[in-house]
Amino acid sequence: MKPFFWLIFILGLALGGCSEDNGSATGRGPTTIKGLVSDDNGPVPLAVIEATDEQGRLLATTDADASGHFEITIPATAPYPLLLVARLPDNKQLLAVVTSNQVVEQDISPYTDLVVKSARQLGGLTPENIAKAAGAAINMRPSQGGKRSSTGFKGDLTKQYGGWH
């Protein structure tokens, strides 16, 4: 896509927001998030997935299946944003951030890990920092067919890393 599109896109992410709601789950039941754990070599089977709050308190845990897919149920009382931590069989880990209880799909990959780490370096997991970090991660992706791609950001860009919904 053209650089102008990305500028408008990132500004929309940074300035957008659906409401004053911080995504906390008041008055709602648990949320189930489905996704795929992958690294630079493809899907990662049998990773352990943990959902934690920003202070690292464990909220839920599950295992990815043999194809790298997982499903984790987040308690209704979970504070957002929350982190999904994929502990890989090779003792490495990958992170993803979930900004709202409305998110039902979230893959975990080196790109989502980069978003979390970059947002933290920008000052924390605020919507603005997450949006900036997501835009920067997309710009760092290898070109696919001569164009930058948002592949690997399932659910992130339009529904959570900036609040377009």
Side-chain angles (χ1 to χ4, degrees), residues 47-121:
V48 175
I49 314 304
E50 298 174 347
T52 69
D53 64 15
E54 284 189 87
Q55 290 71 42
R57 289 182 291 250
L58 186 63
L59 303 169
T61 188
T62 193
D63 295 322
D65 64 19
S67 64
H69 290 90
F70 68 91
E71 190 171 307
I72 190 166
T73 301
I74 309 300
T77 56
Y80 288 84
L82 59 86
L83 292 171
L84 295 180
V85 181
R87 299 191 186 286
L88 311 184
D90 62 3
N91 293 322
K92 294 181 182 175
Q93 72 176 23
L94 294 171
L95 304 171
V97 62
V98 178
T99 60
S100 165
N101 62 359
Q102 296 180 12
V103 174
V104 295
E105 291 186 341
Q106 177 61 61
D107 290 348
I108 306 171
S109 71
Y111 297 105
T112 61
D113 189 74
L114 179 61
V115 169
V116 171
K117 290 174 180 173
S118 297
R120 284 177 166 167
Q121 288 179 342

